[in-house]
Amino acid sequence: MALQTMISKTWKQLQGLRGSPLTRGRKAAEAGKLTKAAGIWQEGARAGDGECQFALAEALAKGIGVLRDPGGAFRWYLAAAESGLALAQTRVASLYARGIGHAGEGEGRAGGDAPFFLAQDDKAARHWARLAAEQGNVEAQVLLGWLLSRDGGPGVPREPEDAARWYGRAADAGNATGMVGLANLISAGEVPGREPAEAYPLYRRAADQDNATAAYFTGTHLLNGIGTDADPVEARRWLSKASEAGIIAAMRLLGLLYLRGTVGRADPVQAETWIRRAAVKGDADSMVLLAELHQQGRTTVPNRSEAVVWYTAAAEAGNARAALALGQIHLRGDGVIPDAARGLRYLEQAAAELPEAEFQLGMCFLEGMGVPEDHDRARQHIMKAAGQRHADATYNLGVMHYHGKGVPLDKEAAFRCYAAAAELGSASAQFRLAYAMTLGVEIPEDPERAITLFTLSAQQGHVVSQVNLARMLLKHRPDAEAELADVRRRMETAAAQEFPAVLAVLGEMAWRLDQDRETAMALVARAEALGDPHAAYVREMVTAAAGPLPAA
C-alpha cells in the first residue's frame, strides 16, 4: 500500500512538470498519433488517474489506437467509476443495464479466447447510476429514471415515484429526454398529484428541442385533445416531424390520418407511402395495414400476392392478426393455392392471442373445412373461444347444444348461450332469440323484447332481422314512423341485391305506409319471380283492398 502511494505521489510530481497525461494524450490524438495517445492514457490509468482510466476505456471500447477490447474497456470504466468519476459511473451503469454478449458465447473456441460477457444487472446499474446522478450528471439522472421505471427482475421492482423525481431533476436542467420520461409517467397516471393531461406541456417543451419521441406524443395529444385543445392540423404537423425523424409509430399513425381523411380529404397515396415506410422498418402492425390495403384493392397498384408477402412477414414477427388473416387466406385459396394444413397452422399460431382464431379453428372442425369433421375438437376450440367472451363462438356453442353436435342435446343450454351471445353483440344470436320470442314456442312470447333484439341485429346488417323487424313494426307499432323509415332505408340497400324477402316486405310497406299500389305490385312481382312465399300474401292484400291493376 505504501509503495502504491509512493508511485502515485511520484507520478503526480512528474505530470506537473510535463502536463497531465490526459492532456498529453489528447494532444497526441489530435495530432493523429492514436497509438501514442492510448499509451499515455494507459500509463496514467495504471498510476490511478481516473480521467486517464476513462479515456483508455473509451479507446478500448471503440478500438482507437488499440485493438478493440470490450472486457478491458469495462475493467477500466469500473476503475474510473470507483475513483468517483461521474461520467465513468454513468457508463458502467449503462453497460450493466444492457449487458454485454451472451452467456456461453464462444465456448469451445480454439485457445479459449471467448468473447467478453457481462450479465445484465439492473441492481448494479441502479447503484452506479445513482452515484453519478447524485453528483448532478444529467445523463445519469435520465438513465436512473429509466431504470427505476422498469421492472429490473427479482428483487429489483419498479419505483415509478422515484423515477419521476430523477426524470424531473433532468427535466429541470432542460434535458428533453428527462422531460419525455417524466411525461410518460404522468400520462400513465403514475405520478401522485399529477393528472395525465399535465404531460402535454412537457412533451411540447421537449418537442421544441427537436426530440423526435416528444414530437410524436405532442402529435397524439393534439389529435385527441389531451391536455390541450384538439387540433388535427397541428397534430399532423408534429407527426410529420416525428415521422421524418424515424419514429415508426408516427409513420403508421400519419398514414392512417391520410387514409381516413382526418385532416382534409383522404390521400391514399400518402397513406400508402407512410404505412409502407413503417412496414419496411419492421413494424408488424404496419405490415398488416399494408397487406389489408392490398387485399381490399386500396393501394396504388393492388396486389393480392403482395398482401400475402406482408401478412407472412408480420406473422413471422409474431403478429396474431396477420396469422389469422393468413389462416383464412390459405383455407379459402384467396390468391394462393388452397392449403388447409398451412391455414390451420396459422390459425393455431393466432389462437394463442386471438379468440377469433380459436373460433375459426372450431368452425373448421365443426364443418369439415379443410379437415375431416371432428365435433369433439370443434367443441374444445369453440368452448375456449366462448370462455373468452367471443360472441359468435358463444352463439355457435348454443347451436351445437341445440342440435347435439359435439355436446349433449340441451335446448335450455342452447338458449342460455343465445342469450349470452346476444348480450355480447352477436347479430345471429340476437336474431335467433328474437325469432323464438315472436313464436312463443321454445321460450315465452315477448314481442317488445323481440323488436329490440331484431333492431340490434338489423343495425349490424343482418338482412333477415331487417325483414322480421319490418314485419313486427307493421304489426305491433304501425305508427312508429322513425323506426319504420330506418329499417326501410337499410332494406333498400339489400333490395339492390335482389333479396326476395326484402322485396316482398318493401312492397308491403309501399302499400301500407304510402298507399303506393304501383310500386307495391312491382316489388311483389320481383319477389314472386325470385320465389318468395310471402309475396303472394302481399299481392292478395293489395288486390283485395284496391282491386286488380287495369290492363295495359
Side-chain angles (χ1 to χ4, degrees):
M1 192 69 182
L3 179 62
Q4 179 65 37
T5 302
M6 183 178 71
I7 291 172
S8 179
K9 183 177 180 181
T10 303
W11 175 259
K12 288 179 180 179
Q13 291 172 343
L14 287 171
Q15 75 177 34
L17 295 173
R18 297 186 296 164
S20 77
L22 180 68
T23 301
R24 289 188 292 110
R26 283 177 176 168
K27 287 181 178 179
E30 289 168 1
K33 299 175 182 179
L34 301 179
T35 302
K36 181 179 178 181
I40 294 170
W41 289 329
Q42 185 176 52
E43 290 178 18
R46 286 175 174 169
D49 185 315
E51 291 183 322
C52 283
Q53 290 167 345
F54 181 80
L56 178 59
E58 290 279 88
L60 289 165
K62 300 171 183 176
I64 299 174
V66 292
L67 292 175
R68 188 172 177 277
D69 180 0
F74 176 74
R75 287 187 286 274
W76 284 116
Y77 279 135
L78 187 59
E82 288 171 343
S83 77
L85 193 68
L87 196 55
Q89 292 167 344
T90 305
R91 192 75 85 247
V92 170
S94 178
L95 291 171
Y96 271 123
R98 68 175 186 267
I100 301 175
H102 302 282
E105 185 179 359
E107 287 183 0
R109 183 180 292 184
D113 187 19
F116 177 70
F117 169 69
L118 179 70
Q120 183 183 339
D121 185 340
D122 267 31
K123 185 175 182 180
R126 290 185 186 185
H127 165 74
W128 288 109
R130 191 178 294 276
L131 289 176
E134 288 171 347
Q135 292 190 61
N137 184 285
V138 175
E139 182 185 347
Q141 291 168 351
V142 172
L143 177 59
L144 182 57
W146 176 68
L147 288 164
L148 291 165
S149 68
R150 77 175 186 177
D151 186 347
V156 193
R158 294 182 73 244
E159 298 180 48
E161 289 186 38
D162 201 17
R165 183 168 67 88
W166 286 107
Y167 274 140
R169 286 183 60 172
D172 289 343
N175 183 274
T177 308
M179 294 174 196
V180 172
L182 178 58
N184 287 343
L185 290 173
I186 292 171
S187 181
E190 294 191 291
V191 181
R194 304 289 294 272
E195 293 298 319
E198 295 179 58
Y200 174 74
L202 285 164
Y203 285 134
R204 184 59 183 265
R205 281 173 57 200
D208 286 337
Q209 293 187 42
D210 293 327
N211 182 287
T213 301
Y216 166 68
F217 284 116
T218 297
T220 60
H221 279 59
L222 283 163
L223 187 64
N224 297 301
I226 301 172
T228 184
D229 292 335
D231 187 340
V233 174
E234 186 71 356
R236 188 175 68 179
R237 185 176 74 83
W238 282 107
L239 290 171
S240 295
K241 289 187 70 170
S243 297
E244 293 289 358
I247 302 297
I248 293 173
M251 296 176 192
R252 185 194 326 122
L253 182 52
L254 185 60
L256 287 171
L257 293 185
Y258 280 117
L259 186 67
R260 296 166 181 166
T262 306
V263 183
R265 295 177 61 184
D267 188 336
V269 175
Q270 283 286 352
E272 182 183 348
T273 296
W274 284 109
I275 291 170
R276 185 179 293 277
R277 284 180 65 172
V280 168
K281 286 184 174 292
D283 182 59
D285 287 336
S286 295
M287 294 176 191
V288 173
L289 281 171
L290 187 55
E292 289 172 345
L293 290 175
H294 273 291
Q295 202 171 29
Q296 296 162 7
R298 299 172 69 189
T299 53
T300 307
V301 182
N303 187 326
R304 286 183 178 272
S305 296
E306 188 172 345
V308 174
V309 169
W310 284 113
Y311 276 135
T312 302
E316 288 174 354
N319 187 283
R321 278 176 57 206
L324 171 60
L326 283 170
Q328 295 167 330
I329 285 170
H330 285 290
L331 282 168
R332 294 193 306 261
D334 185 7
V336 298
I337 297 171
D339 187 336
R342 178 175 292 184
L344 289 172
R345 284 198 300 273
Y346 278 120
L347 288 180
E348 286 166 356
Q349 176 186 333
E353 293 182 35
L354 299 177
E356 173 66 19
E358 197 77 63
F359 167 62
Q360 293 289 346
L361 276 171
M363 294 305 293
C364 285
F365 286 108
L366 184 65
E367 299 178 355
M369 293 187 294
V371 290
E373 279 192 30
D374 186 332
H375 292 170
D376 186 54
R377 291 189 69 178
R379 172 185 56 79
Q380 293 173 24
H381 288 295
I382 289 174
M383 284 187 71
K384 190 171 180 181
Q388 297 175 70
R389 298 177 59 79
H390 187 279
D392 287 334
T394 305
Y395 166 69
N396 277 276
L397 183 59
V399 174
M400 292 173 74
H401 275 296
Y402 192 87
H403 296 287
K405 278 190 172 184
V407 293
L409 193 152
D410 186 340
K411 293 192 175 182
E412 287 187 9
F415 277 96
R416 286 196 298 272
C417 288
Y418 295 154
E423 288 295 322
L424 292 170
S426 167
S428 296
Q430 289 162 349
F431 163 75
R432 183 67 180 85
L433 207 56
Y435 189 72
M437 288 176 179
T438 64
L439 299 178
V441 176
E442 295 170 305
I443 57 176
E445 185 176 358
D446 189 342
E448 290 303 312
R449 177 63 177 155
I451 288 173
T452 299
L453 288 167
F454 277 138
T455 300
L456 291 171
S457 182
Q459 288 170 347
Q460 296 187 62
H462 195 284
V463 177
V464 180
S465 287
Q466 292 169 0
V467 170
N468 280 274
L469 175 59
R471 289 174 179 163
M472 291 291 286
L473 289 172
L474 288 169
K475 180 178 180 180
H476 296 281
R477 299 181 189 172
D479 297 324
E481 294 182 6
E483 292 172 87
L484 284 163
D486 180 70
V487 72
R488 192 179 204 176
R489 177 181 56 79
R490 294 179 188 279
M491 286 192 299
E492 283 169 349
T493 301
Q497 301 172 12
E498 297 296 298
F499 196 97
V502 169
L503 294 168
V505 78
L506 282 174
E508 184 176 353
M509 295 176 86
W511 173 246
R512 293 182 61 177
L513 301 179
D514 308 331
Q515 294 295 296
D516 185 343
R517 181 183 179 203
E518 185 174 348
T519 298
M521 294 299 278
L523 288 165
V524 166
R526 288 169 61 193
E528 285 180 321
L530 292 169
D532 183 75
H534 187 70
Y537 158 76
V538 179
R539 177 180 289 281
E540 290 174 8
M541 176 180 65
V542 176
T543 303
L549 283 169

